Amino acid sequence: MSTTTHGLGGLKYDPSKKARAPEWNVFFALVGIILIFELVGRIVMGDSFLFNTRDNVDTLFNQQRLQIIILQVSITGIIALGVTQVIISGGIDLSSGSIVGATAMIAMSFAQVAMVNGNPNPKAIFAEQGWLDLPVIVPVAVGLACGALAGFINGALVAYTRIPPFIATLGMMVTARGIAKWWSKGNPISFPTESYAAIGKGMMPVIIFVSLAVLFHLILTYTRYGKHCYGIGSNEQAMRMSGINVEKMKVLIYVIAGLLSALAAVVLSSKNLTAQAGMGVMYELDAIAMAVIGGISLQGGRGSIIGTVLGALIFGVIISGFTFLKLDAYYQEMVKGMIIVAAVVLDQWRQKSRARG
Amino acid sequence: MSDIILETRGLTKRYGGVHALEDANFILRKGEHVAVVGDNGAGKSTFVRQVTAVEQRSAGHVFFDGQEVNFAGPLEAREAGIETVFQTLALADDLDVPSNLFLGRELYKFRMGPFSILDRKAMRDRTLEALKTTAVKIPNVDNPIRNMSGGQRQCVAIARTAAFASKLVIMDEPTAALGVQETAQVENIIRGLKERGIPMILISHNLRQVFDLVDRIVVFRRGRIVASLNKDETDGNDIVSYITGVKGGEPANA
């Protein structure tokens, strides 16, 4: 039974012609970009982008490159997961990068060792208080609490003062960056404990990113929270009429985004073994760009975590591809910018053609 | 007293200086279907919004099912048993049919506060069941309703109301945007409610439909109730005279 006829004027519906999930388009774009790099690499560089060409290694793919592709987008990817649910619910979060900076500074100052090479830690922030060599749970908890607080302020501003999310989170963006600079008067904070340094070591960022991506995919697909994110982004008034506490939901959505930014800050500062006031600058835009390239509609209501993960991978592939082709970083940014615009234009076209039906 | 499901006394709503609804006294008995008619801006939708607590009334009392009620919001009204189809469809376009049907009253497999896990299969099954009893046909309930026609979407909204209807159904111009066939389908749902003995308030501009479906017709004019007429004791011209103000200069009780 390929065609079924239903009521309403005998509308015909062919179940086999179900619309292709938009994530497939992002996936094809990813494959296309990889193919371009592979082809250009073979022709221009005489080397493969993706496959292993070294004789001393016995793997099909160039594993090192694959690892780098995902490693370099893992931390912004964690932020992008939070940004995705914010955008799906019809909002925007410009503050993630600054929250990364502020929480990295604050968390790191609770993660410092007492002694460096037999001398007292010269950069210890809380030396007087003796808050050194603390168990790893302390800096992590403090960092997450800061992120949650920043997210709570964002969410409360958006939900209860009804100012546009753009403005509320822009305010947080500037404020949190100020806090990051003020915290140690602009000095970097270094020398974390070993257990803190382990959080972002090696491939840990990838493991954290991938597990969180799976978790948030499940949350957005199978829980009330996810359903209501899409609902609020789709028709806030309808949600309100259906008795859903939209304000509370929005606060929760921004708190979770703040928590993810804070987690990214912990992973990043741990990976770099230092925290600086300028950490995470522009991360919010990278995160938004990943979501947008992954097909998350800025109008809200549409998109998925799978899309964002694919968007992040496209980012990683482009950065790696340009390095592989030995092209300057300037070109990377130009191409990144163009891809963001192209992604939104394609999304608009897709919507229009669907509306015409 | 016991056969009255809804009563309003002196229900009044002002928006600033605008008296959108003035001293509305309205009674609906159990099992009764009443139409609310009137010109644009006569106060019909305002009346519904006060009863369902989408807005808070400026003055007056509402009695529902034998008790005076002060609903804080539409959810409380709904929990008390008032199901409403609003003029602006309260549907989320990007969600599928089951999600819309169960918006705000989801079924769960496992409860964990906001992260409660939805029972998607149960919701889907009950959606198909609800659509079957209301004879609404939707090609694919798993599609976002954005891709559906206005009629299909309206049918989803009405099926939601009919499926959860317990004590009172209110429909605000349910067929305003619909084609002939779809209108007939909605009218069938309304007849089904009548058979089930569920009382209804129907707001409509379509007098043919009103005479077809309801027992009593209440006319609003300039924020006041100006007439309450049994269907058998009136006709279209009579109603139109009340709507336009040719008849019934004095406020009436419904």
Side-chain angles (χ1 to χ4, degrees):
Chain A
M1 193 180 72
S2 67
T3 309
T4 36
T5 309
H6 285 282
L8 291 186
L11 270 179
K12 284 207 175 60
Y13 167 69
D14 183 353
S16 64
K17 276 196 181 163
K18 204 175 166 184
R20 192 174 62 204
E23 284 78 15
W24 282 108
N25 297 333
V26 187
F27 179 73
F28 293 140
L30 175 64
V31 172
I33 292 169
I34 292 173
L35 280 177
I36 291 170
F37 281 126
E38 185 71 31
L39 278 175
V40 175
R42 298 240 176 199
I43 295 163
V44 180
M45 314 289 293
D47 193 5
S48 168
F49 175 58
L50 207 56
F51 296 98
N52 177 38
T53 47
R54 279 181 294 172
D55 299 327
N56 57 344
V57 190
D58 188 30
T59 52
L60 175 60
F61 292 105
N62 185 337
Q63 273 186 326
Q64 215 182 344
R65 177 125 55 221
L66 289 181
Q67 283 180 5
I68 289 173
I69 285 176
I70 182 157
L71 182 60
Q72 64 196 357
V73 293
S74 287
I75 288 169
T76 26
I78 294 171
I79 300 169
L81 298 177
V83 169
T84 298
Q85 40 129 32
V86 170
I87 297 179
I88 285 176
S89 70
I92 192 88
D93 189 355
L94 297 178
S95 65
S96 348
S98 295
I99 293 178
V100 167
T103 46
M105 297 296 279
I106 296 170
M108 193 58 144
S109 54
F110 286 92
Q112 291 180 299
V113 289
M115 304 295 278
V116 181
N117 300 329
N119 301 312
N121 186 343
K123 304 231 170 185
I125 298 286
F126 292 124
E128 283 173 37
Q129 292 86 343
W131 296 346
L132 296 162
D133 286 329
L134 297 170
V136 67
I137 184 76
V138 176
V140 173
V142 168
L144 292 181
C146 292
L149 177 67
F152 178 81
I153 294 169
N154 277 338
L157 283 172
V158 170
Y160 296 106
T161 70
R162 303 276 172 100
I163 57 175
F166 183 90
I167 300 300
T169 58
L170 181 73
M172 179 57 70
M173 172 185 172
V174 178
T175 310
R177 184 62 66 198
I179 291 171
K181 291 174 184 162
W182 160 81
W183 184 255
S184 66
K185 309 292 175 281
N187 295 314
I189 305 175
S190 311
F191 304 121
T193 57
E194 241 171 72
S195 45
Y196 188 80
I199 298 172
K201 212 174 199 171
M203 293 299 278
M204 276 303 285
V206 177
I207 295 169
I208 294 171
F209 170 53
V210 172
S211 0
L212 283 173
V214 171
L215 176 68
F216 274 86
H217 172 72
L218 295 177
I219 287 177
L220 285 190
T221 319
Y222 294 103
T223 70
R224 181 178 83 192
Y225 176 84
K227 194 63 77 184
H228 289 181
C229 275
Y230 285 95
I232 292 173
S234 183
N235 187 346
E236 202 178 309
Q237 201 52 41
M239 299 301 278
R240 213 166 260 133
M241 281 188 182
S242 305
I244 288 145
N245 192 333
V246 173
E247 282 70 33
K248 229 163 111 184
M249 258 304 284
K250 281 188 175 172
V251 172
L252 185 57
I253 290 167
Y254 282 93
V255 165
I256 288 177
L259 278 171
L260 285 168
S261 295
L263 189 64
V266 168
V267 175
L268 180 65
S269 58
S270 158
K271 178 173 171 250
N272 292 358
L273 302 176
T274 182
Q276 289 165 6
M279 255 179 173
V281 169
M282 294 283 277
Y283 277 24
E284 64 280 340
L285 296 183
D286 277 353
I288 293 169
M290 284 173 183
V292 166
I293 289 175
I296 318 295
S297 166
L298 285 171
Q299 274 105 48
R302 269 166 303 133
S304 71
I305 291 292
I306 296 175
T308 298
V309 170
L310 290 170
L313 288 178
I314 289 182
F315 250 63
V317 166
I318 290 171
I319 302 168
S320 289
F322 275 74
T323 316
F324 162 67
L325 296 177
K326 301 199 166 57
L327 289 168
D328 281 336
Y330 315 121
Y331 300 116
Q332 259 180 44
E333 296 198 339
M334 293 179 207
V335 169
K336 247 160 64 174
M338 287 187 268
I339 286 179
I340 293 166
V341 175
V344 177
V345 171
L346 283 174
D347 182 57
Q348 297 281 348
W349 280 351
R350 205 163 57 208
Q351 278 177 49
K352 257 189 220 157
S353 69
R354 207 165 35 177
R356 266 188 246 114
Chain B
M1 220 16 219
S2 63
D3 71 326
I4 293 175
I5 186 74
L6 177 77
E7 179 176 4
T8 70
R9 285 187 206 149
L11 193 61
T12 298
K13 178 68 183 178
R14 301 188 190 93
Y15 302 102
V18 181
H19 295 213
L21 188 67
E22 195 70 32
D23 193 27
N25 298 304
F26 179 91
I27 286 176
L28 183 72
R29 288 169 203 289
K30 284 180 179 159
E32 191 182 25
H33 278 198
V34 166
V36 169
V37 298
D39 230 333
N40 290 329
K44 311 183 298 284
S45 295
T46 308
F47 175 72
V48 169
R49 284 200 296 270
Q50 311 317 308
V51 170
T52 54
V54 170
E55 293 169 357
Q56 293 302 320
R57 55 185 181 266
S58 309
H61 303 272
V62 177
F63 300 85
F64 181 66
D65 206 12
Q67 283 178 357
E68 175 154 19
V69 288
N70 288 298
F71 301 127
L75 182 65
E76 273 186 25
R78 198 169 73 172
E79 276 168 354
I82 303 178
E83 283 292 330
T84 313
V85 178
F86 290 100
Q87 206 168 357
T88 49
L89 293 180
L91 297 174
D93 279 350
D94 295 302
L95 300 182
D96 58 13
V97 178
S99 306
N100 268 296
L101 227 67
F102 286 90
L103 210 56
R105 55 188 146 204
E106 287 82 357
L107 303 176
Y108 300 108
K109 266 187 196 155
F110 187 76
R111 282 190 162 274
M112 270 186 300
F115 301 105
S116 298
I117 294 165
L118 301 168
D119 192 342
R120 300 203 296 181
K121 192 175 174 299
M123 290 198 279
R124 193 177 188 278
D125 291 348
R126 283 191 48 186
T127 300
L128 292 176
E129 216 173 282
L131 292 178
K132 206 183 278 171
T133 58
T134 54
V136 172
K137 299 233 169 67
I138 303 289
N140 185 357
V141 295
D142 301 321
N143 272 349
I145 60 164
R146 176 183 297 282
N147 302 337
M148 295 177 186
S149 72
Q152 287 173 321
R153 284 143 54 103
Q154 184 66 295
C155 285
V156 171
I158 290 167
R160 172 167 71 179
T161 304
F164 290 100
S166 52
K167 290 181 180 164
L168 170 61
V169 169
I170 301 176
M171 294 194 188
D172 192 350
E173 299 195 38
T175 61
L178 301 191
V180 177
Q181 228 170 346
E182 293 157 348
T183 301
Q185 206 158 29
V186 170
E187 289 172 356
N188 275 333
I189 297 176
I190 294 173
R191 288 193 190 92
L193 290 173
K194 181 77 188 167
E195 275 165 28
R196 282 159 63 192
I198 295 168
M200 184 184 72
I201 301 172
L202 170 72
I203 298 182
S204 180
H205 278 297
N206 183 338
L207 288 184
R208 194 271 312 153
Q209 182 178 62
V210 163
F211 275 96
D212 255 13
L213 292 173
V214 305
D215 310 311
R216 189 156 59 90
I217 299 163
V218 173
V219 184
F220 276 64
R221 182 173 147 72
R222 293 188 175 169
R224 288 177 182 276
I225 295 176
V226 292
S228 166
L229 307 154
N230 279 329
K231 179 175 77 175
D232 305 328
E233 296 162 7
T234 180
D235 57 32
N237 289 334
D238 197 29
I239 298 288
V240 172
S241 344
Y242 280 109
I243 291 175
T244 52
V246 174
K247 265 186 177 179
E250 292 302 305
N253 289 339

